Amino acid sequence: YLTVSLNSPVGDNTILQIYNLTGELIYTQQVIASKTTITLNKLMLPGLYLISVSNADTIITGTFIKM
């Protein structure tokens, strides 16, 4: 599992996206709460991934490693 916690309230049209290192979008979800838990698909191989949370005003990016 991956838990994403945001420090500010989530507005309308907030989207969470996960990309692999080749830039391929492999997961997308609309975020409706400040704390969101994602069940990582068994098809996601272990490795480094990029995560983006965005809305009309802000884009937040980061990385995580799936073991």
Side-chain angles (χ1 to χ4, degrees), residues 2-67:
L2 172 68
T3 300
V4 178
S5 297
L6 304 173
N7 292 331
S8 59
V10 175
D12 293 339
N13 300 321
T14 299
I15 302 294
L16 180 142
Q17 297 174 310
I18 298 175
Y19 298 87
N20 63 20
L21 285 183
T22 63
E24 178 184 6
L25 177 64
I26 58 170
Y27 183 87
T28 187
Q29 172 182 322
Q30 184 171 5
V31 179
I32 56 174
S34 293
K35 184 174 182 181
T36 300
T37 300
I38 300 164
T39 302
L40 296 178
N41 189 330
K42 290 183 180 181
L43 296 175
M44 287 178 65
L45 298 174
L48 183 65
Y49 290 87
L50 308 172
I51 187 168
S52 171
V53 179
S54 61
N55 61 21
D57 301 322
T58 307
I59 299 173
I60 302 168
T61 59
T63 59
F64 69 93
I65 297 174
K66 180 177 188 252
M67 304 296 260

